[in-house]
Amino acid sequence: MTASPRPAPAVAPAKFASIGSPYFGIMLAGMAVVLILSNIGASKGVAIGPIITDGGFFLFPLAYILGDVISEVYGFKVARKAIFTTFALSVFASLCYWVIIALPGFDDDFGTSKQAALEGALGPVPQIVLASLLAFLAGQTINSWILVKMKARSGEKSLWARLMGSSGAGEFVDTLIFCSIAASVIGITDFPTFLNYVLVGFVYKTLVEFLFVPVTSLAIGWVKKREPSYGVVGS
């Protein structure tokens, strides 16, 4: 008589925390600052040998790392609030740039050169912000949704797989949308250079997130241990 197969062990339900502690607010502020600064940096095209990128390349992956921590610890609904809050703050920053440029300045040589410098540095930002916001909104939402869905299946196990799987999908969508809108602003006009821009951006951002998986995992574990409500809130 053959033995019946053992049932697969049940997966513990996904655990999350509420946002009553200060940790969420700190991460949300960091996420917003990183996105706003990367929007300014992205208005500058950067050529490092054959590599084509923009001035915000070293900042933007940090926003996704913070998004991963928020999604893993607090869940999709809270992560969505963080995404929309960051979105709104970036829009506000863009409006501030527009007002600053529009305000009448001094008409001497210094004032004229200062105005030209502001227009050159911040003038293209609204289109960059549009590209960044649409890309951030789509990419971060997909990133968070996939991470939380994977957590629902695996519980607390396989954190590295959640971080890598969700980041790869989110960064691809983000990079494609951003580069399609922003390329002309930073001076990219031909398809080979555009393809270089997309591939370099995607590979770089994804590689940075993969390399930072151990650090992200440690940060997640640190926040989980210090969140009093972690494990009380379900999915």
Side-chain angles (χ1 to χ4, degrees), residues 5-226:
R6 294 181 179 179
V11 177
K15 300 176 182 178
F16 297 102
S18 64
I19 56 175
S21 76
Y23 300 112
F24 171 75
I26 293 170
M27 288 186 284
L28 174 59
M31 202 169 163
V33 169
V34 166
L35 182 61
I36 290 169
L37 291 177
S38 65
N39 288 341
I40 297 173
S43 63
K44 176 180 178 177
V46 173
I48 305 173
I51 297 174
I52 303 298
T53 183
D54 58 63
F57 77 95
F58 66 98
L59 279 169
F60 195 73
L62 297 176
Y64 267 78
I65 291 171
L66 288 168
D68 285 340
V69 178
I70 291 172
S71 298
E72 173 69 22
V73 176
Y74 301 99
F76 181 68
K77 291 181 180 179
V78 174
R80 187 170 56 191
K81 289 180 181 178
I83 293 167
F84 281 109
T85 301
T86 302
F87 181 100
L89 291 172
S90 294
V91 170
F92 174 71
S94 185
L95 291 174
C96 289
Y97 304 148
W98 178 80
V99 171
I100 292 168
I101 291 172
L103 288 171
F106 298 148
D107 56 4
D108 58 7
D109 290 342
F110 177 78
T112 303
S113 63
K114 197 72 172 179
Q115 177 69 17
L118 280 170
E119 291 177 359
L122 299 181
V125 165
Q127 188 171 337
I128 293 291
V129 168
L130 174 64
S132 179
L133 290 180
L134 293 178
F136 179 81
L137 187 63
Q140 276 281 13
T141 301
I142 289 172
N143 177 68
S144 176
W145 184 82
I146 291 175
L147 189 150
V148 173
K149 285 293 182 182
M150 292 179 71
K151 186 173 183 179
R153 293 187 176 187
S154 61
E156 295 293 301
K157 299 178 181 179
S158 303
L159 175 59
W160 64 271
R162 290 197 294 278
L163 294 175
M164 296 177 75
S166 61
S167 296
E171 289 290 10
F172 177 76
V173 172
D174 185 295
T175 306
L176 184 61
I177 293 174
F178 177 81
C179 293
S180 298
I181 300 173
S184 62
V185 178
I186 66 171
I188 294 175
T189 55
D190 60 277
F191 183 73
T193 307
F194 170 76
L195 188 61
N196 184 319
Y197 187 34
V198 172
L199 291 177
V200 167
F202 169 68
V203 171
Y204 166 76
K205 293 173 185 176
T206 306
L207 183 60
V208 168
E209 290 212 45
F210 284 5
L211 291 175
F212 271 81
V213 162
V215 178
T216 307
S217 300
L218 287 174
I220 287 172
W222 189 91
V223 176
K224 283 180 177 179
K225 289 179 180 178
R226 286 160 178 79

